Amino acid sequence: MSSLSKLNPLNSMNLRQKTILLIGLIVLLLVLVYASSLSIDPANILTDFTLRNQPPSFEHLFGTDWLGRDMLTRTIKGLGLSIFIGAVASILSSILAIIMAFISSVNKYGDVLIAWLIDFFASIPHLLLLIMISICLGKGAMGVIIGVACTHWTSLARVLRVEIKEIQTSEYVQLSEKFGKNKFWIAKEHILILVITQVIVGTLLIFPHAIMHEASITFLGFGLSPHEPAIGIILSESMSYLTTGAWWLAVFPGVMLLIIVLLFDILGEEVEKLLDPTKAQK
Amino acid sequence: MVIIINSQKLAKFLGYKAVRLFILLVAVAAVSFIMVEISPINPVKSYAAEMGASAQQIAALSAYWQVDVPLGEKVVSWLADLLQLNLGISLIYRIPVVNVIIQKFTASLVLMITSWIISGVVGFGLGIIAGGTRGSWIDKAIKTYCYILQCAPSFWIGLIIMLIFSVYLGWFPVGLAVPVGTMASDVTFWDWLIRLILPAFTLSIVGIASIALYTRDRLVNILNSDYFIFARARGENHWSIIIRHGIRNVLLPAITLQFMSFSELFGGAVLVEQIFSYPGIGQATVAAGLRSDVPLLLGIVLISTIFVFCGNTIADILYKYVDPRMKGDENE
């Protein structure tokens, strides 16, 4: 037992080192997927009618579709797009959340307004709101990004709102006010600095939802256009070929999407552990 | 357990909620109307394209949709119509929107409630088992299963279930729609039940994860509590304490959480209905969105808002008035 545990380098590391290692590995993996998707030129996804609907083989690990395109290449390209849209949408929604939280901290009316807005956005089913926003902006990537950003800011805004209220009542903020610092300065130097942890973790935790909602809305036909190599498009196309037994068209892209979502979820939790040591003890 | 509800307070609370619902509905109606208005959709054009209208009819439609009227006035007149429950006529189904919604929403309600109950019961059970055996392989298996389920897109799970049960096992027809040419009224109970099974199954599976993980966390907290350790010290059996102390304490918060999940339930229903072509409100939503049926889409937004609001209000009532632990706060 003791000789074995000495051999295993993981055992000599503390929790913090292990967490950092895990974060590094996940980031590396995600960067790898994104980089390889960037390196794929859509023009290189060849259509080859002699290779139509091939089941998975060593040449085509994920099989080929009805135009003879390699599904592995299409899937990776789609994942890259998902990561990109997820990133833009979750960063946008965090920015939105920060702005809303600060508005609510200005005065009583701001607080009431934001509380009402949060209620408003939480009372329409997310998917329906996404559909409405996508229709409003004329479908396409823009509609999806704005839609996801608009529907996901509420949870982070709620957390920040409480956090900011707590910080505002603290003594050093009141002292700062007595020193004559203006509200903007206090918000920047005292409050933002302290909530930045929450913001980073919040953004990372919005990521998986953003990716899944993008795929769902694209699947329904309101998101990205059918020319884009998105996972939602691949899966909705696969529906017409499932009856002929082409299971690989649906299974592999879905599993890959699931893995990416899972990776982002774990990443968010690990980063939270790293930045907020009280959580790590649990 | 006797539930004593302060009826006067509850009535006041419900009245307050009703006012809120009204304000919310007006806001949702106005905002969604404006959103559709500024979108590139032209209701007159999509009407004309769908129905092949003549120039005269187009003029009448333009008058109906008030093409030349400024936005502010349009919103006001739309809200006024709404107050009389006049939602217009659906362009896909060609009957009043209210009738479409009643018909489709009942079908969806059956689907949603079935899977809501199944996912609640199964999820709660799994959560109790996982919490009770925490640290064991059973707990780990349930946790992993729920974790993966939470990260899987629900429409993909639907696809996989269809692949397994319809394509490979052949137990259910693919698509599952009503046979072409059959009126909705001619569908037998059996036909309808067959159509319900796979969508309900999918939706239940999707809903299990969050409730199971929540129940497990709550139960683990209780297992660490003083009264649990004391009961243990008295020599009570592990599972009998969980039944007597654990379940009683976890059940109400779990039910509350389940009521708060109506929004996700609706979203899941939209996706699942689309995959299995179950003729419910979700399919109507997608059809209305893709074919620019503006009156129907706006109607669906309103009904789904009411649906989610009801769920949240019931959760509030459970939390504030039924939970005996909240009695102290109430008396303040």
Side-chain angles (χ1 to χ4, degrees):
Chain A
M1 173 71 195
S2 62
S3 63
L4 262 178
S5 63
K6 263 178 203 158
L7 280 176
N8 188 350
L10 277 178
N11 287 342
S12 61
M13 292 166 83
N14 61 28
L15 185 62
R16 187 182 168 81
Q17 286 166 325
K18 275 186 203 164
T19 310
I20 292 176
L21 184 71
L22 191 58
I23 292 174
L25 279 178
I26 292 174
V27 170
L28 186 71
L29 212 60
L30 289 171
V31 168
L32 219 66
V33 170
Y34 190 62
S36 52
S37 104
L38 280 187
S39 70
I40 296 168
D41 182 6
N44 280 349
I45 303 179
L46 296 171
T47 51
D48 185 348
F49 285 98
T50 56
L51 287 171
R52 285 170 62 181
N53 290 330
Q54 295 277 315
S57 62
F58 282 111
E59 239 163 279
H60 301 281
L61 279 177
F62 287 7
T64 60
D65 64 4
W66 67 100
L67 291 173
R69 290 176 289 187
D70 180 44
M71 285 307 287
L72 177 62
T73 346
R74 285 191 82 200
T75 306
I76 300 269
K77 191 80 196 158
L79 290 178
L81 195 66
S82 288
I83 293 176
F84 174 73
I85 288 184
V88 177
S90 43
I91 290 171
L92 263 183
S93 79
S94 301
I95 293 174
L96 210 58
I98 296 174
I99 294 173
M100 296 293 182
F102 273 107
I103 292 175
S104 82
S105 75
V106 171
N107 58 25
K108 215 176 79 191
Y109 299 106
D111 196 35
V112 172
L113 174 75
I114 299 302
W116 191 82
L117 267 181
I118 291 176
D119 257 18
F120 178 84
F121 277 97
S123 58
I124 309 174
H126 278 176
L127 200 70
L128 203 55
L129 196 58
L130 270 167
I131 291 177
M132 293 294 292
I133 293 174
S134 162
I135 287 174
C136 173
L137 296 172
K139 295 172 190 173
M142 192 64 183
V144 175
I145 290 173
I146 302 282
V148 173
C150 283
T151 46
H152 287 73
W153 61 272
T154 48
S155 55
L156 182 59
R158 249 185 219 144
V159 175
L160 289 182
R161 198 174 137 228
V162 177
E163 193 83 2
I164 289 176
K165 258 186 200 160
E166 246 176 58
I167 298 172
Q168 268 186 330
T169 54
S170 68
E171 281 167 357
Y172 60 87
V173 170
Q174 283 165 354
L175 195 64
S176 210
E177 265 170 30
K178 293 269 156 58
F179 277 157
K181 300 285 186 195
N182 64 31
K183 279 198 159 174
F184 186 73
W185 192 90
I186 293 172
K188 206 178 71 179
E189 298 290 326
H190 286 319
I191 299 176
L192 197 60
I193 284 290
L194 280 174
V195 295
I196 205 81
T197 320
Q198 244 100 1
V199 172
I200 292 171
V201 174
T203 312
L204 281 173
L205 289 179
I206 293 172
F207 227 110
H209 292 273
I211 291 178
M212 267 202 290
H213 271 121
E214 180 269 314
S216 312
I217 194 115
T218 306
F219 176 78
L220 289 177
F222 294 100
L224 305 175
S225 74
H227 320 295
E228 310 262 7
I231 296 285
I233 298 288
I234 293 176
L235 288 177
S236 78
E237 281 172 353
S238 79
M239 264 183 79
S240 1
Y241 296 88
L242 284 187
T243 39
T244 57
W247 53 271
W248 57 90
L249 291 180
V251 172
F252 291 124
V255 169
M256 289 302 283
L257 185 67
L258 194 151
I259 291 172
I260 294 290
V261 171
L262 208 59
L263 283 179
F264 270 112
D265 210 42
I266 297 171
L267 182 65
E269 273 172 25
E270 294 299 317
V271 170
E272 189 172 23
K273 263 193 214 165
L274 195 66
L275 296 177
D276 187 357
T278 50
K279 284 262 164 62
Q281 299 304 322
K282 282 184 184 168
Chain B
M1 189 170 74
V2 185
I3 297 169
I4 304 158
I5 295 173
N6 187 335
S7 58
Q8 208 184 348
K9 251 200 163 138
L10 186 65
K12 207 171 149 193
F13 176 76
L14 284 180
Y16 165 76
K17 279 282 171 186
V19 173
R20 282 204 76 150
L21 176 62
F22 181 75
I23 297 172
L24 183 72
L25 280 181
V26 171
V28 168
V31 169
S32 50
F33 185 81
I34 292 168
M35 266 161 69
V36 174
E37 235 1 87
I38 60 173
S39 79
I41 293 177
N42 182 338
V44 178
K45 263 194 194 151
S46 45
Y47 249 94
E50 196 83 21
M51 297 198 172
S54 65
Q56 201 181 3
Q57 279 168 312
I58 288 179
L61 282 171
S62 304
Y64 176 76
W65 283 103
Q66 303 172 304
V67 175
D68 309 319
V69 179
L71 185 61
E73 271 178 55
K74 260 196 226 179
V75 175
V76 172
S77 74
W78 145 252
L79 289 177
D81 274 354
L82 198 62
L83 280 180
Q84 296 157 11
L85 282 181
N86 175 14
L87 288 163
I89 290 170
S90 158
L91 100 102
I92 304 177
Y93 300 97
R94 298 179 194 194
I95 44 173
V97 167
V98 178
N99 298 10
V100 178
I101 287 180
I102 290 172
Q103 190 194 335
K104 298 281 167 184
F105 198 69
T106 341
S108 283
L109 214 54
V110 176
L111 170 66
M112 288 193 278
I113 288 181
T114 317
S115 41
W116 185 78
I117 292 173
I118 295 176
S119 67
V121 172
V122 176
F124 187 75
L126 284 180
I128 292 287
I129 294 172
T133 61
R134 79 189 144 138
S136 71
W137 65 269
I138 302 175
D139 176 32
K140 278 179 190 141
I142 292 176
K143 247 169 56 186
T144 314
Y145 170 76
C146 290
Y147 211 58
I148 290 176
L149 218 56
Q150 243 181 356
C151 288
S154 42
F155 65 96
W156 181 68
I157 293 178
L159 280 181
I160 298 300
I161 285 174
M162 186 164 87
L163 201 59
I164 295 170
F165 290 99
S166 297
V167 179
Y168 278 92
L169 296 175
W171 290 354
F172 301 93
V174 180
L176 297 162
V178 196
V180 182
T182 324
M183 290 294 288
S185 53
D186 293 342
V187 178
T188 59
F189 177 74
W190 187 242
D191 276 348
W192 170 79
L193 196 66
I194 290 257
R195 276 186 297 159
L196 185 66
I197 293 174
L198 281 191
F201 181 55
T202 310
L203 209 51
S204 312
I205 286 188
V206 173
I208 284 175
S210 61
I211 191 82
L213 287 177
Y214 178 80
T215 308
R216 182 195 170 274
D217 277 358
R218 287 298 281 239
L219 190 64
V220 166
N221 277 342
I222 288 171
L223 294 190
N224 291 328
S225 68
D226 289 344
Y227 60 82
F228 189 88
I229 295 168
F230 179 63
R232 258 221 127 142
R234 280 201 315 259
E236 267 189 72
N237 171 286
H238 182 66
W239 286 104
S240 91
I241 316 175
I242 286 181
I243 290 165
R244 283 192 197 154
H245 298 291
I247 290 181
R248 280 194 180 187
N249 276 304
V250 184
L251 192 56
L252 205 57
I255 294 175
T256 311
L257 181 81
Q258 191 72 346
F259 271 108
M260 279 161 71
S261 70
F262 274 18
S263 166
E264 281 104 75
L265 188 67
F266 190 89
V270 172
L271 289 163
V272 166
E273 283 177 13
Q274 186 63 15
I275 292 165
F276 295 103
S277 23
Y278 182 85
I281 199 90
Q283 220 192 9
T285 313
V286 176
L290 290 178
R291 288 162 70 183
S292 314
D293 188 347
V294 176
L296 183 58
L297 194 61
L298 293 176
I300 291 172
V301 171
L302 289 179
I303 188 79
S304 69
T305 307
I306 296 175
F307 179 66
V308 173
F309 189 88
C310 286
N312 288 344
T313 306
I314 296 172
D316 265 4
I317 293 172
L318 285 178
Y319 180 72
K320 284 194 178 133
Y321 296 95
V322 181
D323 195 335
R325 282 167 299 184
M326 287 296 143
K327 277 282 173 334
D329 296 353
E330 199 192 330
N331 292 336
E332 275 167 18

